[in-house]
Amino acid sequence: MTDTKKNESASQAILEIRGLQKSFGVLKVLRDISLDVEPGNVVSIIGPSGSGKSTLLRCATFLETADGGDILYDGQHAVKAGVYANKTELAKFRTRFGLVFQNFNLFPHYSVMKNISEAPLLHGQSKEETQEYAMSLLKKMGLEGKENSYPCQLSGGQQQRVAIARALALKPEILFFDEPTSALDPELTGEVLKVIRQLAEEKMTMVVVTHEMPFARAVSNHVIFMDGGVIVEEGHPEDVFGDPQQERTKQFLRNYQK
């Protein structure tokens, strides 16, 4: 199903979602969601619990099966009108993105090094190259000397930084974060947000579901406010946070600031 032609334009969106729909039984969780993520941009998705934010990320990363709509990476269809590419093609699409969960999801019986290096080794990278890159990622995350530690020996903030390093290990084009700080206390939250800010400065393309409003306002190129399975409002962060047009957005931001 992969498109034979790829738009060679430099402005080609890394991720395009068109008319995405997802229901769980009679509950419609996503209703006709469409969005683009351009190279080097940070898109933050905000909204109340149950608005569909995490389900959107899970559909974009094939952890949930969409009921309808299109999902394209680099102009190539992974999902077209709700029909998925074959397993071989989907496996290739999965190498294009990394995903960081709210609860770390590290393998507890693997060392930090093995958590980071397992996927690249499975994809045929050499052990030497993989370990060298993993060490560079640990340095980037401020975790030098932790390569032989196990997740239980790390703080929550350190575990999440290992999870980010693991997501970067296959050198993805885009990173997805699903509430990356929701399981952390405020001090550890700062550690993780600092890393994401650094990635943003390096023009890493990211989609971040977050409840950290000051962070979203400061780091994002584009903010999406979701409620009830639809995009209620979207735009530049200064517009969405500073001058929201929709009453539901105003109400959400007022409640959040209380």
Side-chain angles (χ1 to χ4, degrees):
M1 182 186 302
T2 304
D3 293 346
T4 54
K5 287 190 176 181
K6 180 178 173 182
N7 187 344
E8 295 298 326
S9 168
S11 63
Q12 171 73 58
I14 288 181
L15 172 65
E16 300 169 73
I17 292 177
R18 297 285 178 267
L20 195 67
Q21 301 172 47
K22 176 65 180 176
S23 296
F24 294 106
V26 298
L27 179 63
K28 292 184 177 180
V29 181
L30 298 177
R31 305 166 182 256
D32 196 23
I33 298 288
S34 296
L35 60 89
D36 289 348
V37 181
E38 302 290 339
N41 280 2
V42 179
V43 176
S44 288
I45 304 175
I46 62 172
S49 297
S51 60
K53 307 184 302 296
S54 291
T55 301
L56 173 57
L57 251 61
R58 291 178 67 83
C59 285
T61 56
F62 317 137
L63 293 175
E64 296 284 357
T65 302
D67 299 325
D70 298 353
I71 300 173
L72 300 89
Y73 282 94
D74 294 319
Q76 300 176 334
H77 276 94
V79 183
K80 189 170 185 178
V83 178
Y84 281 69
N86 64 45
K87 288 184 178 181
T88 301
E89 289 176 329
L90 281 181
K92 292 177 182 177
F93 281 116
R94 286 190 176 96
T95 66
R96 297 180 184 226
F97 57 77
L99 176 59
V100 179
F101 301 89
Q102 51 187 301
N103 292 316
F104 323 139
N105 284 22
L106 298 175
F107 295 112
H109 55 295
Y110 284 3
S111 68
V112 165
M113 175 58 76
K114 192 169 183 181
N115 264 287
I116 296 171
S117 61
E118 185 78 354
L121 290 173
L122 288 173
H123 281 83
Q125 290 187 21
S126 72
K127 186 174 181 180
E128 183 180 358
E129 177 189 0
T130 297
Q131 291 198 339
E132 183 179 344
Y133 189 55
M135 291 298 289
S136 73
L137 288 172
L138 286 173
K139 183 177 181 180
K140 187 186 191 77
M141 298 297 133
L143 292 169
E144 288 178 284
K146 297 294 186 182
E147 59 270 16
N148 295 319
S149 299
Y150 286 81
C152 64
Q153 298 172 309
L154 305 176
S155 71
Q158 289 172 327
Q159 289 185 62
Q160 190 62 298
R161 283 181 279 154
V162 173
I164 295 172
R166 181 180 63 181
L168 288 167
L170 284 174
K171 302 179 182 178
E173 297 175 12
I174 181 171
L175 272 187
F176 294 94
F177 293 86
D178 186 8
E179 296 279 14
T181 61
S182 65
L184 303 175
D185 65 36
E187 184 175 2
L188 298 180
T189 291
E191 294 178 7
V192 173
L193 294 182
K194 181 180 178 181
V195 169
I196 301 175
R197 284 175 186 268
Q198 180 185 351
L199 292 172
E201 289 170 2
E202 295 170 0
K203 299 300 181 184
M204 182 72 206
T205 308
M206 295 183 281
V207 178
V208 186
V209 169
T210 184
H211 59 273
E212 299 288 341
M213 300 302 148
F215 167 80
R217 185 170 187 168
V219 173
S220 307
N221 302 95
H222 193 78
V223 174
I224 292 171
F225 170 61
M226 288 182 64
D227 191 29
V230 301
I231 295 175
V232 176
E233 188 163 353
E234 61 180 313
H236 189 276
E238 289 307 315
D239 294 330
V240 174
F241 288 105
D243 187 25
Q245 301 301 302
Q246 302 300 318
E247 187 55 41
R248 183 65 188 95
T249 315
K250 296 175 184 177
Q251 179 188 17
F252 173 78
L253 292 174
R254 277 198 303 267
N255 290 339
Y256 225 100
Q257 291 162 358
K258 288 180 179 178

